[in-house]
Amino acid sequence: MKVLVLNCGSSSVKFQVIETSLEMIEANSDVTVARGLVEKIGLSDSRLSMDTPGRKPYQEIGEILEHRAAVERVLKVLAHPEYGVLKDVKEIEAVGHRVVHGGEKFASSVQITPEVEAMIEECVVLAPLHNPHNLRGIIAARSLLSDVPQFAVFDTAFHQSMPPKAFIYGLPYDLYTHHAIRRYGFHGTSHRYVSLRAAKLLGRKLEEMRIITCHLGNGCSMAAIDRGHSVDTTMGFTPLEGLLMGTRSGDMDAAILPWVMAMEELTLSQLNAMLNKHSGLYGISGVSSDMREIEKAVGSGNHRAQLAFDIFCYRIRKYIGGYAAAMNGIDAVVFTGGIGENSDLVREASTVGLDFLGLDLDPDVNRKAPRGQEMIVSKASSRSAIIIIPTNEERVIARDVVRVLGGVMPSFSVPSNEAPR
Ligand code: ADP
């Protein structure tokens, strides 16, 4: 079946049409029919671009004022007689939406009903910058494709299996019971997908493995996946916690915040911008948030770029050690995301010297790893594997749609893990 996957941001709509089925999932042979992006929604020069395998990329520029108009335009382009990929939009049998925050309400992907929509609305308070746009996409698709079932796939759901000891902060407990302040974790679809693929690649059962997944893109997070269940992850109440990222600080002493606010006379929004936009690789190096630029600067002897690179990798090593302790060992470390898939330097600096954990990288294989391929980069003799798995969040969303629609539960089952109220 053809599934339309929508990922709606504040001024953008990413879309893919994916041909998939239970059989194609099993054979890992789902097909991306088209992928594209609407950008600059709300401006007069909004841009819709679409890539279709084997064809020239398509692009149009023109005013698209809001999300409904964007989705309407996407459907028109997908079914265009000349450059479209569908004879009719009726070929779309289901729509899968990426929804950032499912709070404690959603532990797996679900078909969207009015009740589900109301619950997603209730999670807006937890993700005010994301969920409202996700909801706009849902409302738009429902009004434009009225008979087509819609599904929500949450970034947070996979981590709902974390035990309370991993998700409760050392803060007054009322903040949890009154305001739902706890660690949620993000990138769940990616962590879930790459752990499954890693087990497949090794020819082992996920239910028997302890895997650490490193999703390293502009945002970065790691997860400890114990026999298929996320038991810990580095991002927390928001995506700020944990690893060093392109422009986000990751872990730090929270007492710095009131101190800096007072000393620099910062407003709340300036403080937020400092933590989310001016920190991380960019803040430390002063060069860029982009790992390719950091690596270039390191190559030309820039000390602050070197420091940013070292901090980035050192934190990954520390979490590998921590998660190995949390799971009493590891069978595999998986790298994904733009940096994880492409930077041999980061993979090497993060894993070399961890032989006490049974990790033995093959530097040659790691350096020569071809792009975009699933690949084992540890030595054959390594007790724990080091693996590259290109992530594909849209594919996970399409697959979940098929699984939920087909009455097959998503391939992970999540214990109910709320802390006492
Ligand atoms: P997002 O989180 O926005 O989806 P990506 O997963 O595309 O981001 O990752 C973007 C990051 O990947 C950037 O820091 C970029 O520099 C890095 N990256 C992409 N290609 C390479 C490469 N060949 N070497 C090192 N880093 C790379």
Side-chain angles (χ1 to χ4, degrees):
M1 69 187 292
K2 289 196 175 73
V3 179
L4 172 65
V5 176
L6 292 177
N7 179 355
C8 296
S10 58
S11 63
S12 70
V13 174
K14 287 190 196 142
F15 64 94
Q16 283 196 21
V17 175
I18 297 181
E19 174 88 52
T20 182
S21 65
L22 291 174
E23 297 73 33
M24 291 169 94
I25 295 172
E26 193 49 41
N28 199 36
S29 64
D30 348 37
V31 177
T32 301
V33 178
R35 75 174 79 211
L37 171 67
V38 185
E39 298 167 275
K40 295 190 172 180
I41 294 172
L43 300 177
S44 58
D45 59 344
S46 318
R47 183 167 56 185
L48 188 158
S49 48
M50 180 169 78
D51 274 330
T52 314
R55 290 215 229 151
K56 251 180 41 192
Y58 172 78
Q59 185 168 297
E60 62 177 42
I61 293 181
E63 186 176 76
I64 297 178
L65 285 179
E66 35 73 47
H67 288 74
R68 188 182 188 281
V71 177
E72 192 170 14
R73 204 55 227 145
V74 167
L75 293 173
K76 285 235 163 73
V77 169
L78 285 172
H80 192 278
E82 196 182 328
Y83 35 77
V85 291
L86 307 173
K87 287 202 189 73
D88 193 297
V89 287
K90 291 203 180 86
E91 284 180 46
I92 297 171
E93 289 184 65
V95 183
H97 296 269
R98 177 200 181 204
V99 179
V100 168
H101 219 306
E104 290 187 324
K105 297 176 195 299
F106 298 101
S108 64
S109 306
V110 287
Q111 182 158 359
I112 299 171
T113 60
E115 294 74 40
V116 166
E117 205 171 305
M119 286 159 81
I120 296 174
E121 183 87 52
E122 285 169 32
C123 295
V124 162
V125 66
L126 296 170
L129 301 180
H130 295 102
N131 274 31
H133 311 301
N134 304 154
L135 272 167
R136 272 185 207 120
I138 291 170
I139 292 162
R142 194 185 51 221
S143 77
L144 293 161
L145 297 164
S146 52
D147 295 332
V148 177
Q150 317 260 336
F151 298 80
V153 178
F154 302 90
D155 273 25
T156 51
F158 181 53
H159 302 301
Q160 277 297 297
S161 51
M162 284 193 291
K165 66 183 175 194
F167 72 69
I168 294 288
Y169 286 111
L171 292 166
Y173 205 67
D174 285 356
L175 290 179
Y176 172 59
T177 51
H178 292 177
H179 299 296
I181 292 181
R182 50 158 282 178
R183 309 184 62 254
Y184 290 97
F186 298 87
H187 291 147
T189 45
S190 177
H191 289 294
R192 176 158 58 101
Y193 174 74
V194 301
S195 61
L196 266 166
R197 289 302 313 157
K200 279 245 155 64
L201 190 67
L202 292 171
R204 296 184 58 182
K205 286 205 173 101
L206 184 66
E207 298 74 29
E208 293 166 357
M209 294 186 69
R210 295 152 303 174
I211 302 179
I212 297 174
T213 47
C214 311
H215 178 109
L216 311 175
N218 283 311
C220 300
S221 71
M222 289 169 60
I225 302 176
D226 196 355
R227 296 162 182 92
H229 302 293
S230 171
V231 292
D232 208 345
T233 189
T234 55
M235 284 180 170
F237 181 64
T238 75
L240 186 71
E241 194 179 344
L243 299 176
L244 195 76
M245 309 183 209
T247 57
R248 294 189 199 126
S249 65
D251 293 333
M252 50 149 206
D253 181 347
I256 294 168
L257 307 183
W259 196 91
V260 171
M261 275 187 93
M263 296 298 276
E264 299 265 323
E265 297 182 11
L266 297 183
T267 63
L268 274 178
S269 78
Q270 285 170 325
L271 185 76
N272 252 320
M274 180 191 90
L275 294 170
N276 286 292
K277 298 212 157 51
H278 307 142
S279 297
L281 290 173
Y282 171 72
I284 296 167
S285 69
V287 171
S288 173
S289 62
D290 190 303
M291 186 52 91
R292 283 166 293 201
E293 299 301 319
I294 297 289
E295 289 182 359
K296 250 191 247 161
V298 168
S300 55
N302 182 314
H303 293 298
R304 272 175 53 192
Q306 179 73 60
L307 181 61
F309 180 88
D310 291 346
I311 295 170
F312 185 87
C313 298
Y314 178 61
R315 243 182 236 186
I316 297 170
R317 293 169 79 81
K318 282 209 296 189
Y319 272 113
I320 290 177
Y323 287 171
M327 295 190 288
N328 190 22
I330 43 176
D331 299 298
V333 173
V334 183
F335 285 94
T336 193
I339 299 173
E341 291 165 34
N342 297 305
S343 174
D344 56 300
L345 295 176
V346 167
R347 290 191 300 266
E348 182 167 337
S350 313
T351 58
V352 155
L354 295 180
D355 41 322
F356 77 104
L357 291 174
L359 292 168
D360 196 359
L361 185 81
D362 187 325
D364 239 25
V365 174
N366 179 50
R367 212 166 300 127
K368 292 184 192 143
R371 282 173 161 231
Q373 274 186 33
E374 298 183 346
M375 171 119 206
I376 300 171
V377 292
S378 46
K379 291 187 184 149
S381 56
S382 182
R383 226 173 349 109
S384 318
I386 305 171
I387 306 176
I388 303 169
I389 303 280
T391 196
N392 192 333
E393 291 173 272
E394 286 76 15
R395 184 185 270 191
V396 183
I397 293 173
R399 286 181 173 191
D400 275 13
V401 165
V402 168
R403 289 195 187 105
V404 177
L405 200 56
V408 184
M409 287 306 288
S411 54
F412 65 103
S413 72
V414 181
S416 165
N417 240 342
E418 281 191 38
R421 295 272 172 183

